[in-house]
Amino acid sequence: MILAAENIENLPEEATCEEFCQSVTASFAAVYESHQYCTDFILEHPEERLTCSAAIYSTSRREVWMIGDCQCLIDGEFYDNPKPMEAANAAKRIAYIREHHLSESSILKHDEGRDYIINDIIASMRLQNKTFSVIDGTPIYIRGVKRIPAENAHEIVLATDGYPFLYPTLAESEAALKNLLINDPCCMEIYQATKACMKGQQSFDDRAYLRFNI
């Protein structure tokens, strides 16, 4: 997150989406090199890479760039950029939990359903920057970057997928998340996810929310 944020902060105002992708990739690759990571190892083990997503608004180009699984609202219209296998992996986890009649209390202590799909998750990570885009120090798959025109937009919301239901205000988005965590902490009914909100956690995923007027 820090590396990506520094890259965005230092990005020239007129930079293109491609230029950002090249710059942030170089920054991540430099970290691998400084820690003497073997390039072959990083390529072979995507689960060991520094990995993040980013939703960026370019003021000069009047467009939103979505690299990885993030989401946004442009004047109330919703856009997302999900990982291709996320829904299938979530469904497989939930089917396992139901088949084995696992209780909510046991899942929130140790999610056996998550264990069941972990190899599928790692397998899907091998497709990073091949069939979908992420920021991970390897050349970003440009076709997987979603670019949304916002020439006439008045209000934009940028957020991570830690908000399962995105609304025009932070209060509404937090309220929907709170309802999920109270009524469906295993993330199986109201919202299907690849993991639960485990005991001791505040939510099932990281979250960031930014709303601004143009």
Side-chain angles (χ1 to χ4, degrees):
M1 178 274 290
I2 293 172
L3 280 173
E6 288 176 348
N7 240 272
I8 295 168
E9 184 177 4
N10 295 319
L11 198 65
E13 184 177 345
E14 296 297 326
T16 64
C17 180
E18 288 83 0
E19 287 170 340
F20 167 73
C21 289
Q22 292 166 4
S23 174
V24 75
T25 295
S27 295
F28 277 54
V31 171
Y32 299 147
E33 293 171 8
S34 69
H35 287 77
Q36 299 181 332
Y37 273 93
C38 172
T39 302
D40 291 340
F41 177 81
I42 287 298
L43 290 175
E44 184 65 26
H45 296 277
E47 71 276 12
E48 298 294 337
R49 298 176 197 161
L50 304 172
T51 305
C52 72
S53 301
I56 302 167
Y57 173 69
S58 169
T59 55
S60 65
R61 299 185 177 277
R62 302 282 286 187
E63 59 185 13
V64 173
W65 308 334
M66 301 174 71
I67 305 164
D69 53 347
C70 42
Q71 52 186 339
C72 75
L73 293 172
I74 299 179
D75 288 340
E77 186 170 351
F78 177 74
Y79 300 87
D80 66 350
N81 196 27
K83 296 176 186 174
M85 296 302 295
E86 194 79 357
N89 287 335
K92 187 173 181 178
R93 165 185 170 262
I94 293 165
Y96 178 90
I97 289 170
R98 288 174 176 159
E99 180 182 349
H100 291 80
H101 306 288
L102 302 178
S103 67
E104 179 178 298
S105 60
S106 70
I107 294 168
L108 299 184
K109 289 179 182 177
H110 182 91
D111 190 345
E112 293 181 29
R114 175 78 174 182
D115 293 344
Y116 181 66
I117 64 167
I118 197 66
N119 288 334
D120 297 285
I121 292 173
I122 293 173
S124 69
M125 292 175 74
R126 296 187 185 280
L127 300 176
Q128 286 180 192
N129 289 327
K130 293 180 180 178
T131 62
F132 66 94
S133 67
V134 295
I135 299 170
D136 70 354
T138 66
I140 292 171
Y141 178 61
I142 294 297
R143 288 178 62 185
V145 176
K146 184 169 285 189
R147 280 181 277 198
I148 309 161
E151 295 94 341
N152 302 312
H154 297 92
E155 182 179 86
I156 293 177
V157 174
L158 306 177
T160 65
D161 63 346
Y163 285 103
F165 309 104
L166 189 61
Y167 289 97
T169 69
L170 177 60
E172 290 174 294
S173 301
E174 284 284 346
L177 175 62
K178 183 178 180 180
N179 177 67
L180 169 69
L181 298 179
I182 291 173
N183 296 299
D184 184 22
C186 294
C187 297
M188 295 175 55
E189 305 292 343
I190 299 174
Y191 181 75
Q192 297 192 347
T194 59
K195 53 191 170 184
C197 181
M198 305 299 290
K199 185 177 180 181
Q201 294 181 339
Q202 293 185 351
S203 189
F204 73 100
D205 204 351
D206 62 278
R207 62 193 192 270
Y209 183 106
L210 175 66
R211 180 183 64 166
F212 54 94
N213 294 323
I214 302 172

